[in-house]
Amino acid sequence: MDKMKVAYEAMLGLAAEMVLDEAVHKFRSDQIYKAIDQALAIGDEDTFYRLAAQLNDLKK
């Protein structure tokens, strides 16, 4: 039974880590999208391209 408990706890930990990673990824993506919108609104081409590159790296 102890082996099952250890395995179960490990799986719960992995699931929690996956949920947290996804939440952080979504938060970061949303922040970059907002910054891209702002860069477009003010016509800041350099910032737009930098943020677009960050977004592409995040999607990999």
Side-chain angles (χ1 to χ4, degrees):
M1 286 297 255
D2 285 337
K3 287 183 183 181
M4 282 188 81
K5 183 178 178 184
V6 170
Y8 180 70
E9 288 175 357
M11 293 300 289
L12 283 178
L14 235 124
E17 187 175 340
M18 289 172 59
V19 169
L20 182 60
D21 285 347
E22 181 62 29
V24 169
H25 184 268
K26 181 175 179 357
F27 176 79
R28 186 67 185 132
S29 293
D30 289 348
Q31 294 294 359
I32 293 173
Y33 275 118
K34 287 177 188 174
I36 285 173
D37 287 344
Q38 187 177 20
L40 287 172
I42 63 173
D44 187 348
E45 190 175 325
D46 292 332
T47 300
F48 168 78
Y49 282 117
R50 181 179 51 79
L51 291 168
Q54 286 181 14
L55 188 60
N56 285 335
D57 289 342
L58 193 61
K59 288 183 177 184
K60 290 181 183 176

